[in-house]
Amino acid sequence: MPDLIATLLISLLKAVLVVLALLTTFAYMTLIERRLLGRMQLRPGPNRVGPMGLLQPAADAIKSIFKEDLTVTLADKLVYTLAPIIAIGMALTAFGGIPAGPAGSLFGENPWVYSLDAGILALLALTSMGVYGIFLGGWASGSKYPMLGALRSSAQMISYELGMGLSILGLLMIVGTTSFQGIVGWQAQNGVLLLFQSLGFALFLISSFAEVNRTPFDLPEAEQEIVAGYLTEYSAIKWALFQMAEYVNMITASAVMATLFFGGWKGPQVLNAVIPGMSDWPIVWLVAKIAFFLFLFIWVRGTLPRLRYDQLMRFGWKLILPLALANTVMTAAFLAFRGTGGLWFLGVLSLAGLLALLVMSDRVRVLWNQPTVRRPESEAVRAGGD
Amino acid sequence: MLLVALGIGIVAVLASALLGPKKASRAKLMAYESGNDPEGGGVGIGQRFPVHFYLVAMLFIIFDIETAFFYPLAVAYQKLIPFAFFEAITFVLLLLVGYVYILKKKVLEWA
């Protein structure tokens, strides 16, 4: 019995640690993002509050707590309050399963909060739950812009979730397990999965950009189009919680990509020749990989314009979904007829697929750039336009 | 984990509710709609939306179930080949027929 209580206490402690770490990372992510965007646009970014602007996140947090918390008259009070809590709860929980080192490497404890055999499934399920937070938030605001933003957002997120789920099937076929530890272990022995699944990785990357509502897919919060989407009626800490959920989702997506395709907490084995045991430094490698992906998220935000809504949906359904399916079938066929022997050949195939994706995205742009259905001009006029 | 995560959210909302100023006025509590009261007004009243969203949700359910069927197959794949391959291909082809049908019906268009 004392053992059970000790285990419970330890996992509670780890959960609190992970949550606090994520919140700090989120706070500093906002600062780093603003500074980096500033650098990209040849301006300094926030540098007044504290040295190098390092106290800016603290100032923002304190401000958002002391702001007036308004609930619009027409809003559904309970759901309106519950929605940001759901969003942040699911976002934070999703991160807990990511392993940050081998078993027992965190002062004798396991460096993950919970470990499930169906780790990836749990993660996908939790990200789906995040959609509820956003949609309920938009619906409960009792106003039209949030509702539109929420509808767009949920349609977009569920569409790209398909691409996400399908693009890792090839990976699962190769590895044969859905637990994160198993996948990291496989990669430590056979080389990172990016080599064998580069097409799958590209599709997963695009899908996760859309999944966490980042540019070029940040339609739900397109400020210039529908005010702030589902955030329009939110103020003070509830608004901050939604933002927090978005950034935490971004961190989780980075961690998942690092774990699934880049070897997780294992560093490159080559470096062991330079400093023995270097590839096993716990947490360091995972953090480095997450930082790389976070930088990628910001970099893309500073580079690409937003897609239109219809383009976005066509892109997801007509390019990502069939290609993810094709990647799955290709991997399946390869494994069925060549076995796991010459995996490098699968890597070449994937790379060819990736190149085809790049070429195709230019050639078949017409698939999502131009609507193939045109509303009859006269009908729109008769209805008074829109 | 879930409890701690939800707890953080609840604590934050409570803290803000306790600490923030409370000087609401009628104008402040109006929905954001160019200074007018919303037409129809309120949650779920008089709001109509394009049927596309419904179709997307339906398609998502269908294809997500497909994905759900694929996960066990993918995990156990190496023990079941080559038989599983043909099984899977048959399943994918059946779904592709549906996919081509919705493409031809132009369900995936937002004109």
Side-chain angles (χ1 to χ4, degrees), chain A residues 35-183:
Chain A
R35 301 257 324 172
L36 273 175
L37 282 177
R39 290 287 164 207
M40 286 167 194
Q41 298 164 2
L42 300 181
R43 57 187 174 82
N47 60 0
R48 283 289 179 271
V49 190
M52 298 190 299
L54 279 176
L55 293 179
Q56 182 74 44
D60 287 339
I62 292 169
K63 184 193 74 175
S64 70
I65 286 184
F66 282 96
K67 277 274 189 183
E68 182 171 7
D69 193 7
L70 287 172
T71 308
V72 187
T73 332
L74 293 172
D76 187 315
K77 300 273 184 309
L78 175 67
V79 182
Y80 180 82
T81 319
L82 216 54
I85 298 176
I86 294 176
I88 186 70
M90 297 309 156
L92 288 171
T93 311
F95 192 87
I98 308 282
S105 71
L106 189 80
F107 308 116
E109 298 297 328
N110 295 335
W112 52 78
V113 183
Y114 58 86
S115 160
L116 302 172
D117 285 339
I120 293 177
L121 292 183
L123 190 110
L124 287 176
L126 283 168
T127 38
S128 319
M129 289 295 288
V131 184
Y132 280 101
I134 288 177
F135 183 76
L136 289 178
W139 173 81
S141 293
S143 167
K144 285 180 189 105
Y145 291 109
M147 185 73 199
L148 282 175
L151 269 174
R152 280 173 157 207
S153 175
S154 40
Q156 165 186 343
M157 285 171 87
I158 60 176
S159 299
Y160 280 86
E161 206 162 283
L162 282 181
M164 226 167 158
L166 283 173
S167 58
I168 54 171
L169 279 176
L171 181 154
L172 293 181
M173 281 179 188
I174 296 177
V175 179
T177 171
T178 43
S179 81
F180 287 118
Q181 283 83 5
I183 291 172

Side-chain angles (χ1 to χ4, degrees), chain A residues 68 233 317-318 332 372-373, chain B residues 28-29 32 77 99 109 111:
Chain A
E68 182 171 7
E233 301 293 1
W317 282 95
K318 287 189 169 176
T372 42
V373 178
Chain B
K28 254 192 202 173
L29 292 179
Y32 181 89
Y77 188 68
Y99 182 72
E109 304 292 338

